[in-house]
Amino acid sequence: MKPRLLTRSFYYLWTTQTAANAADVLYIMALTVLVLDRTDSLVSAALMPLMRSAAQMVSGFIAPLLINRFKLPSLLLISQTGQFLLFVVLALYLQLNSTAASLTLVFALVFVMSFLDGWSVPARNALVPRLVTREEGLLQANGLISVSDQVVQFAGWGLSGLLVAFLGPSPALLLTAAIYGLAAAFTLGVREPAEAMAQMQGQKADSEPEPSSSKWKTLTEGWQVIWRMPRLRMLTFMDIIDMLGGSVWVGAFTLAFVQVALKQGEEWWGFINAAYFAGTVGGGLLVLSAVRLIGNRYLGAMLIGMAGYGLLTMVYALNTQPYIALVLVLLMGPFAELSVINRRTLIQRSTSKQMLPKVLSAQASLLHLVFCISLLVMAGLAERFGIVNLYLLAAVLTSLALVVGLLGRRAFRDEPESSAASRPSL
């Protein structure tokens, strides 16, 4: 009988995160419509994603303190339950106060909810290696999570728009609260295997002789591991470059490209977005079907994905035919997923399970900061050099990340320095 690669706890984790992602999409849509109706200001509506990123960046920075104190399933439960309760408060407040509701209070609640959400993705990704029975199950687990993330993004925005239009923003937020309640309930089923728990407790016991480590040391431990390990340092650098280039797919930039380069209306903006998400869903399924073919050749698969994605982005930037643009973004999806899923797997295999949550928290905090900066920088570059050149720049950045990976292959050939990563610096 073929052994099962994924544990029951993984499927609980997968379900709770899918539900939480669906709730996120619905509440962002509902609050955006609410703010626009109240203020008729795009600037006010744009404050929400920036506030969310800022809160998640701060949350990612202090997450190591919480990781030292709580188990990862407990952190997820606190995050999901806290967001559920805050959504109930927000939805009831808006339902009772309607047009008299204070947007300042609404934004404050959004900030706190985003803060609670800030450690859920690092905790989830750190839990995944602990919830697979064999190493070959890791790529499969990451592929399943990526597919569900993209399906929610692909279908969620359209369905959320219909729900908000049909129910109205305030009732839609009550529905969001109910979905978050389900997410919190499923989190109760996430359990770390006894073997992994024993190993973690043993590692903590080994480090007991130095209990007086400062909070600052705890906060910076993940950053120190990234800096000390060539493999993690390189993967983080590649992530940063990818984030800089990937910001060009934010709605305002894609809409400008459709209007300026493709000479089409807003409906083609929707077509382009739908084609891209359809491609990423297909790409995730392709990775799942190719788990055995990829084996442990994560680096090669990642570099192939980056090369294909960079080349297609360059052709997309130079293309002026809308139907060809649809085909190009559809093809980009599989290459993007091949790169992202294998890079995530490499990061998870590059340090000890004990240190991984702190490493992922540090990376998440850094990437949220990079995303906020890149949005502002890319907007300025688009105005100065034009939207077509912005997409060419994105292709160049992906090529740069590819070159970094090719030049640093030696770091990936070495065995992961898990034990070194888990030792506190003297």
Side-chain angles (χ1 to χ4, degrees), residues 71-84:
K71 298 173 184 176
L72 293 181
S74 299
L75 274 182
L76 277 179
L77 183 60
I78 292 168
S79 171
Q80 307 289 21
T81 304
Q83 289 181 81
F84 164 61

Side-chain angles (χ1 to χ4, degrees), residues 404-426:
V404 169
L406 288 170
L407 293 177
R409 290 194 307 276
R410 178 176 297 179
F412 294 96
R413 283 198 294 267
D414 296 335
E415 285 298 312
E417 301 170 51
S418 300
S419 59
S422 63
R423 286 197 300 268
S425 56
L426 300 175

Side-chain angles (χ1 to χ4, degrees), residues 12 67 121 144 147-148 186 188 206 267 299 336 338 360 382 402:
Y12 277 112
I67 289 165
V121 173
L144 283 171
V147 167
S148 65
F186 279 113
L188 293 170
D206 290 341
E267 68 277 7
L299 175 62
L338 190 63
L360 292 175
L402 175 64

Side-chain angles (χ1 to χ4, degrees), residues 66-78 119 123 127 130 190-192 197 200-201 204 357:
L66 300 170
I67 289 165
N68 266 12
R69 185 170 182 179
F70 300 101
K71 298 173 184 176
L72 293 181
S74 299
L75 274 182
L76 277 179
L77 183 60
I78 292 168
W119 64 68
L127 267 171
R130 305 181 191 184
V190 180
R191 296 280 189 276
E192 291 192 54
M197 288 296 296
M200 296 293 294
Q201 289 169 358
K204 286 184 178 180

Side-chain angles (χ1 to χ4, degrees), residues 56-100:
Q56 289 168 342
M57 179 181 67
V58 175
S59 177
F61 181 71
I62 70 163
L65 294 176
L66 300 170
I67 289 165
N68 266 12
R69 185 170 182 179
F70 300 101
K71 298 173 184 176
L72 293 181
S74 299
L75 274 182
L76 277 179
L77 183 60
I78 292 168
S79 171
Q80 307 289 21
T81 304
Q83 289 181 81
F84 164 61
L85 294 175
L86 287 169
F87 271 120
V88 171
V89 171
L90 176 61
L92 291 176
Y93 172 72
L94 291 172
Q95 193 76 27
L96 294 173
N97 291 276
S98 187
T99 56

Side-chain angles (χ1 to χ4, degrees), residues 22 90 103 108 193-194 200 222 238 246 282 298 335 378 405 423:
L90 176 61
L103 287 183
M200 296 293 294
M238 293 168 75
Y298 308 118
F335 285 106
M378 289 297 186
R423 286 197 300 268

